[in-house]
Amino acid sequence: MMEFYAQHYSSNIMKLVLYGNHSLDAMEQWVRSKFSPIANKNLSRATVPSDAYGAEQLCKLLEVVPIRDMRRVEICFPIPPIEGLYLSKPTRCLSHLLGHESGGSILSALKGRMWANALSSYVSPSLNDFAFFGVSIDLSEEGVNHVDEIVAFVFSYIG
């Protein structure tokens, strides 16, 4: 722990947000007294490779036995970071395309086969180097028997 602290703890790569109903002067005094002792070691922020996963970690099916009654398929796609795309919001557009429920949609087709009850799509919080786009499908009891077909259907819809 101390080694990690020495290698990665520096004031130049930290951010602080303070929110309160005290006066700005009082809060500034508290922050200065508590955080001024943190040394500036001029470190650079650690980065993760932009390819979050290698080929051997992709296209995997992980089966988890839940402790409560739950039937769900999660399909996660690593994507490039999206922080700089806040004006165009391409993942929001993709999320709406995949998550809508009208005729011709993924959910409409899966419900028609009695395989799914709900579908949502989402973006994980974007990191500096990558993010995740996901599709979550709540399955019916019958849908559990058709996971491979459901995943293939989602990929067919996307591609």
Side-chain angles (χ1 to χ4, degrees):
M1 180 65 89
M2 295 305 291
E3 182 180 330
F4 181 87
Y5 172 84
Q7 290 178 357
H8 302 287
Y9 207 77
S10 177
S11 63
N12 71 299
I13 57 174
M14 294 179 168
K15 295 180 181 179
L16 172 70
V17 174
L18 184 66
Y19 178 79
N21 58 0
H22 299 281
S23 74
L24 183 59
D25 290 337
M27 291 193 298
E28 180 181 3
Q29 182 182 3
W30 297 336
V31 168
R32 288 188 185 280
S33 70
K34 299 295 182 190
F35 294 96
S36 290
I38 299 173
N40 179 356
K41 300 175 187 173
N42 291 312
L43 299 177
S44 9
R45 186 171 305 280
T47 59
V48 177
S50 59
D51 293 333
Y53 296 102
E56 65 279 357
Q57 288 122 358
L58 297 173
C59 301
K60 299 292 182 191
L61 173 65
L62 304 176
E63 295 187 53
V64 177
V65 179
I67 56 175
R68 65 183 175 118
D69 188 23
M70 177 187 294
R71 297 175 303 272
R72 181 175 298 146
V73 170
E74 298 268 346
I75 305 170
C76 297
F77 302 93
I79 60 174
I82 58 170
E83 290 175 335
L85 305 174
Y86 63 92
L87 291 175
S88 60
K89 298 178 178 49
T91 53
R92 180 177 284 180
C93 181
L94 182 59
S95 184
H96 286 296
L97 289 171
L98 296 177
H100 78 94
E101 300 180 8
S102 62
S105 69
I106 296 171
L107 182 59
S108 175
L110 295 177
K111 277 186 169 183
R113 290 172 174 81
M114 308 295 279
W115 291 351
N117 300 315
L119 181 147
S120 61
S121 54
Y122 59 90
V123 177
S124 69
S126 182
L127 304 172
N128 289 341
D129 304 303
F130 65 92
F132 288 101
F133 183 84
V135 178
S136 177
I137 304 168
D138 291 343
L139 303 176
S140 65
E141 289 184 25
E142 179 62 23
V144 173
N145 301 318
H146 299 277
V147 170
D148 290 342
E149 294 161 275
I150 291 169
V151 171
F153 188 85
V154 171
F155 275 85
S156 175
Y157 188 89
I158 292 171

